[in-house]
Amino acid sequence: MYLQSLELQGFKSFPDKIKLHFDKGLTAVVGPNGSGKSNIGDAVRWVLGEQSTKTLRGNKMEDVIFSGTKTRKAMGFAAVTLEINNETGELGDAYGAVVSVTRKLYRSGDSEYRINGKNVRLKDVTELFMDTGMGRDGYAIIGQGRIAEIVSAKSTDRRDIFEEAAGVSKFRYKKQEAQRKLDAAQENLVRLQDIVMELESRVEPLRQQAEKAKQYVELAGEQKQLEVSLWVRRLTALREKLTGLSDGYLQAQAEYQNAEREIQRTDAQVQEGYRRMQESTLKMEEIRQKIQQAENKLKQREMVLSQRQEEIQRKKMEAEAVKENLEAQLVIVDKKKEELDKLQQQEIEKLETISGLSAEEAKERLVESLKEEAKTQAQSFINDIMDDAKLTASKEAKRIVIQSIQRVATETAIENSVTVFHIESDEIKGRIIGREGRNIRALEAATGVEIVVDDTPEAIVLSAFDPVRREIARLALHQLVTDGRIHPARIEEVVAKVRKQVEEEIIETGKRTTIDLGIHGLHPELIRIIGKMKYRSSYGQNLLQHARETANLCAVMASELGLNPKKAKRAGLLHDIGKVPDEEPELPHALLGMKLAEKYKEKPDICNAIGAHHDETEMTSLLAPIVQVCDAISGARPGARREIVEAYIKRLNDLEQLAMSYPGVTKTYAIQAGRELRVIVGADKIDDKQTESLSGEIAKKIQDEMTYPGQVKITVIRETRAVSFAK
């Protein structure tokens, strides 16, 4: 194992990229004072993880970045790459024959470490070189003034030197790490025991509450039966009273004819009868008041029945007693009425004359009044009961919904159609554009993304309605700028490689999502579809974020309702898979998602919940309304969605699909917010003359079939390539 090369850029006195190569023998670096000899040793210590600014001869870590001169402006970053020959395998066979360690620091304070091009932590770099003598704390690199430090070191410090050289440091480090993890596991165990004890203490109160709820349901049923029986009895009494009044009326009508002749004989008897009638009316009013008082007592007893079940029988007996008393009073009233009928009949004619109503009309009005009064009282009582039940149910439903939202509500991020790509300096903009714009045209053609290079300092705007295209363009630009080789052939190569990386990232995102939510046993194709949600938005809301939020809401709401929270979470996560299919059939996304779930062997209740969350099919399980409600909650919160974004994306998709329907077309890209459509055709399928006619046909079809603002420019691109190999 030996140092093979050292590459510096932007580190202290090295603004330009420089690479130093070292052989197995002795390599000497000479030069006058201030030429940067010590900076080479500092660079080696810095890339291996040195964090002491005093050791690096500075006040803060940003001092290692080239600060500029009168003729050269300052750099925005410092990067050092150290290559070590590992043919002997001392660093492990997994790293290969050459181990590359890179450290990069930006002026913003952001930094990154890489081993063989892969991002790692400082801890990984330290562990790699531990016990090799080359680490940050090793003495393979001895800077200025370090000899005296080693000679005059304390016994404990010299012990560290020997442990590092003998290979003991790694084992001591691993022992400390193991002890730390053991302590953390012990603390977690104590916390788990506390949680178990808390849950056990809550079992008995919950059981008691369940018994009380069961008793309440039984008492409520008995209360309802008693109320119905009571109203039946009251209606029966009123009906009997009405019958008695009708019989009295018939008898009074017969006596009226006799009384008429009696009235004609003496007016004095009429006056006396009128006085007696008033007295009887007063007595009837007193009786009516007694009846009203009895009814009030019955209402009070009905309210007590709902509170105390043990008093039901006693109150029933009281109601029977009151009923008998009323019936007895009604009998007395009837007797007294019979006595007064003769006198009352004498006044009927006079009253009819005064009131202008006949006896039949008065009877009908009395009967109707009694009927309406009974109906009004019954309906009022029923309405009170119904309002109370609705209020209780509404409060419970609101409690469950509010608790679910409070537990899983997240910040809502609206996706836009542009991405800002930051660059280190404006000099790179010219390299990205290329000679006569060939590089930027090649990048736009390969990715389908509009690249806007304007006067904005250190930034390039990537514009496209498809998030996948924007991500591919961003990653490709990052690799091209980092590599420094920017030309059309390299651009196509990098874009193809990045497209494959994005596909792998989609699968990895799906796996991470299912693991985070605790969902297992999903078909690999469903996992890939879930990963695709990351690069899809619905009304401006990220689809994966919406699906995760809906899944958590479903789990909480199912737990509150006593259902299976795992099934609910699974259905909530999969409810919008119909929005990201590989093909675009003419089906609603809910039905398409249900068919996909059935295809990949999901359970029937989960499939039904997916298909019914927009009422596209009939709900057959309790999971379906839960998913429907949680989907609405996630999308209905303020700021979660924007209708205009969805309409914009649909219009651009329709524009691309319209051009793809023509034969010979291989790719279509809608750019500049839909104001330009680029159509790439196969050179072997369409000639130059046909491209002109194809452009006109597409333009005419867009005019006839689509609605759009302004005008749309159609550009048909036909390219012929001839490739040969010299052997």
Side-chain angles (χ1 to χ4, degrees):
M1 181 179 70
Y2 62 91
L3 178 62
Q4 182 170 301
S5 67
L6 180 67
E7 183 180 294
L8 304 94
Q9 184 180 3
F11 184 83
K12 288 193 172 181
S13 60
F14 300 95
D16 298 323
K17 184 182 291 185
I18 184 172
K19 191 169 185 180
L20 306 176
H21 296 275
F22 304 92
D23 297 327
K24 290 185 178 180
L26 182 63
T27 302
V29 181
V30 298
N33 291 336
S35 60
K37 301 187 298 297
S38 300
N39 291 341
I40 296 176
D42 291 345
V44 176
R45 293 181 61 84
W46 184 71
V47 74
L48 293 177
E50 179 62 60
Q51 300 296 320
S52 174
T53 56
K54 184 178 179 181
T55 304
L56 299 173
R57 299 175 297 163
N59 296 323
K60 53 184 180 179
M61 189 57 69
E62 287 77 7
D63 291 341
V64 303
I65 303 174
F66 179 73
S67 58
T69 62
K70 292 182 179 180
T71 58
R72 186 79 177 263
K73 66 178 183 179
M75 296 286 288
F77 71 97
V80 177
T81 301
L82 182 71
E83 292 184 354
I84 297 175
N85 190 289
N86 190 39
E87 293 179 353
T88 59
E90 295 183 18
L91 296 178
D93 297 333
Y95 294 100
V98 179
V99 179
S100 173
V101 181
T102 303
R103 181 176 182 181
K104 198 169 185 178
L105 175 68
Y106 299 92
R107 286 199 180 274
S108 61
D110 297 334
S111 64
E112 59 183 26
Y113 293 87
R114 296 180 183 176
I115 298 179
N116 289 346
K118 295 183 178 179
N119 289 330
V120 297
R121 302 167 299 177
L122 174 60
K123 179 181 177 182
D124 299 325
V125 178
T126 303
E127 291 180 353
L128 175 64
F129 293 102
M130 189 174 290
D131 292 340
T132 63
M134 290 189 59
R136 177 184 61 192
D137 301 325
Y139 287 88
I141 305 166
I142 302 175
Q144 295 179 2
R146 295 281 289 175
I147 301 294
E149 181 183 339
I150 296 172
V151 174
S152 61
K154 298 180 182 179
S155 59
T156 56
D157 296 335
R158 287 197 297 271
R159 179 177 179 178
D160 294 338
I161 297 172
F162 292 130
E163 287 182 350
E164 176 69 23
V168 179
S169 298
K170 181 179 288 186
F171 295 100
R172 185 177 64 181
Y173 174 76
K174 288 183 178 179
K175 179 184 177 182
Q176 293 174 353
E177 284 292 314
Q179 186 64 39
R180 183 183 60 80
K181 291 181 180 178
L182 182 61
D183 295 340
Q186 188 66 30
E187 293 177 358
N188 292 333
L189 184 60
V190 173
R191 287 197 296 270
L192 287 174
Q193 290 176 353
D194 294 339
I195 293 171
V196 170
M197 293 177 63
E198 179 67 21
L199 292 175
E200 288 177 352
S201 64
R202 293 175 60 186
V203 170
E204 183 61 26
L206 291 174
R207 186 187 61 79
Q208 295 176 359
Q209 292 178 6
E211 292 178 355
K212 291 180 180 179
K214 185 177 179 181
Q215 293 177 0
Y216 173 77
V217 172
E218 294 176 355
L219 294 175
E222 294 180 1
Q223 177 193 358
K224 186 175 180 181
Q225 293 178 358
L226 291 173
E227 289 173 350
V228 172
S229 301
L230 181 60
W231 278 106
V232 168
R233 292 189 180 96
R234 292 180 64 183
L235 291 174
T236 302
L238 291 173
R239 198 175 286 110
E240 291 176 355
K241 183 178 179 181
L242 179 62
T243 303
L245 292 174
S246 299
D247 295 340
Y249 171 75
L250 295 174
Q251 185 177 357
Q253 189 177 14
E255 295 176 355
Y256 169 75
Q257 296 176 357
N258 297 327
E260 186 177 9
R261 292 188 295 269
E262 199 67 29
I263 292 172
Q264 293 177 355
R265 285 195 300 267
T266 174
D267 191 59
Q269 293 180 355
V270 172
Q271 297 294 331
E272 182 67 18
Y274 182 73
R275 183 183 61 80
R276 293 180 180 180
M277 186 190 68
Q278 288 181 337
E279 293 177 356
S280 62
T281 303
L282 294 174
K283 291 180 180 179
M284 290 178 65
E285 185 65 28
E286 292 176 358
I287 294 172
R288 188 177 289 108
Q289 290 179 358
K290 292 181 180 180
I291 294 173
Q292 186 65 35
Q293 292 175 359
E295 291 178 351
N296 294 334
K297 290 181 180 179
L298 286 175
K299 290 181 180 179
Q300 294 176 358
R301 288 168 184 160
E302 291 170 3
M303 295 175 63
V304 174
L305 283 174
S306 63
Q307 301 175 358
R308 293 187 247 172
Q309 179 63 26
E310 62 271 10
E311 297 180 3
I312 291 177
Q313 190 62 33
R314 181 176 60 83
K315 289 191 181 289
K316 182 178 179 181
M317 295 174 64
E318 290 178 359
E320 292 292 336
V322 172
K323 178 185 176 185
E324 292 176 358
N325 187 22
L326 292 175
E327 291 177 351
Q329 291 179 3
L330 289 173
V331 171
I332 295 172
V333 171
D334 291 338
K335 290 181 179 180
K336 291 183 179 181
K337 191 172 182 179
E338 291 177 358
E339 295 175 359
L340 298 174
D341 279 339
K342 293 181 180 180
L343 297 176
Q344 187 177 4
Q345 191 63 36
Q346 296 175 0
E347 298 295 324
I348 290 177
E349 184 178 0
K350 187 176 181 180
L351 292 174
E352 288 180 354
T353 304
I354 296 172
S355 62
L357 297 175
S358 64
E360 187 67 26
E361 291 175 346
K363 175 186 174 183
E364 291 179 356
R365 292 196 178 185
L366 178 61
V367 172
E368 291 295 327
S369 176
L370 292 173
K371 285 184 179 179
E372 291 297 326
E373 183 180 359
K375 288 181 180 179
T376 303
Q377 293 178 356
Q379 189 62 38
S380 176
F381 192 74
I382 294 172
N383 290 338
D384 292 340
I385 297 174
M386 293 296 293
D387 291 341
D388 184 67
K390 288 180 180 178
L391 181 61
T392 304
S394 177
K395 286 182 178 178
E396 184 65 18
K398 289 178 180 178
R399 183 189 66 80
I400 294 174
V401 172
I402 293 171
Q403 184 176 358
S404 303
I405 295 173
Q406 289 176 341
R407 289 178 59 182
V408 299
T410 59
E411 294 291 332
T412 302
I414 300 297
E415 293 190 348
N416 298 312
S417 58
V418 296
T419 299
V420 179
F421 179 77
H422 297 280
I423 57 178
E424 298 168 357
S425 65
D426 291 339
E427 297 176 0
I428 301 176
K429 289 185 178 181
R431 298 175 61 187
I432 294 174
I433 296 173
R435 183 180 298 175
E436 298 179 354
R438 63 173 188 171
N439 290 345
I440 196 170
R441 285 199 302 272
L443 192 58
E444 288 181 346
T447 60
V449 174
E450 182 185 359
I451 301 175
V452 182
V453 182
D454 51 19
D455 297 334
T456 305
E458 300 182 354
I460 294 175
V461 178
L462 309 177
S463 176
F465 71 92
D466 191 340
V468 179
R469 294 183 193 170
R470 293 204 309 272
E471 183 67 11
I472 292 173
R474 187 187 69 81
L475 294 175
L477 260 179
H478 179 73
Q479 290 193 16
L480 290 169
V481 172
T482 304
D483 186 38
R485 295 178 296 163
I486 305 176
H487 52 83
R490 177 64 175 167
I491 288 172
E492 293 180 357
E493 179 186 349
V494 171
V495 169
K497 188 183 296 183
V498 169
R499 188 173 281 112
K500 186 177 180 181
Q501 292 176 0
V502 170
E503 186 66 25
E504 295 174 353
E505 177 66 20
I506 286 173
I507 297 174
E508 184 64 25
T509 300
K511 291 181 180 179
R512 287 200 304 269
T513 301
T514 55
I515 293 172
D516 293 342
L517 294 175
I519 298 173
H520 308 286
L522 282 176
H523 194 276
E525 189 62 26
L526 287 179
I527 292 176
R528 189 182 71 85
I529 292 175
I530 292 171
K532 287 178 65 178
M533 290 182 182
K534 179 181 177 183
Y535 301 103
R536 172 69 192 264
S537 61
S538 178
Y539 297 97
Q541 185 183 30
N542 184 269
L543 195 59
L544 181 58
Q545 181 184 352
H546 166 64
R548 290 173 66 109
E549 186 178 30
T550 303
N552 290 324
L553 283 169
C554 289
V556 175
M557 196 167 292
S559 300
E560 292 288 338
L561 297 175
L563 303 177
N564 191 338
K566 292 185 177 180
K567 278 190 175 182
K569 184 181 290 186
R570 195 183 189 101
L573 179 62
L574 300 175
H575 81 283
D576 272 347
I577 59 175
K579 290 185 177 181
V580 287
D582 294 329
E583 300 178 355
E584 298 288 344
E586 295 296 329
L587 277 177
H589 76 272
L591 296 180
L592 182 58
M594 182 178 68
K595 291 184 179 294
L596 288 173
E598 292 173 348
K599 178 180 178 182
Y600 298 117
K601 310 300 181 184
E602 289 295 318
K603 294 185 178 180
D605 51 353
I606 294 177
C607 298
N608 179 257
I610 296 172
H613 79 275
H614 283 313
D615 296 324
E616 302 288 351
T617 185
E618 185 179 357
M619 297 182 181
T620 60
S621 68
L622 294 176
L623 290 179
I626 291 176
V627 173
Q628 187 181 48
V629 170
C630 294
D631 177 49
I633 292 172
S634 178
R637 288 186 291 107
R641 292 186 169 187
R642 293 189 299 193
E643 296 283 346
I644 191 171
V645 176
E646 190 73 8
Y648 165 74
I649 293 175
K650 186 178 184 304
R651 180 169 65 84
L652 297 186
N653 270 320
D654 293 342
L655 195 63
E656 291 185 352
Q657 292 300 321
L658 185 145
M660 281 295 294
S661 62
Y662 285 88
V665 178
T666 58
K667 294 179 182 178
T668 57
Y669 298 129
I671 62 176
Q672 296 186 4
R675 293 188 296 273
E676 182 177 353
L677 178 65
R678 292 188 178 177
V679 183
I680 302 174
V681 299
D684 56 341
K685 299 178 181 178
I686 295 179
D687 56 22
D688 291 339
K689 195 170 183 179
Q690 290 175 329
T691 58
E692 297 179 1
S693 61
L694 178 62
S695 176
E697 291 176 5
I698 295 175
K700 188 175 183 305
K701 193 170 183 180
I702 292 173
Q703 291 177 359
D704 296 338
E705 299 183 3
M706 293 189 65
T707 303
Y708 53 91
Q711 61 182 13
V712 181
K713 178 183 177 183
I714 295 92
T715 304
V716 180
I717 301 172
R718 178 177 179 269
E719 185 180 23
T720 304
R721 295 189 182 184
V723 181
S724 300
F725 297 93
K727 299 181 180 178

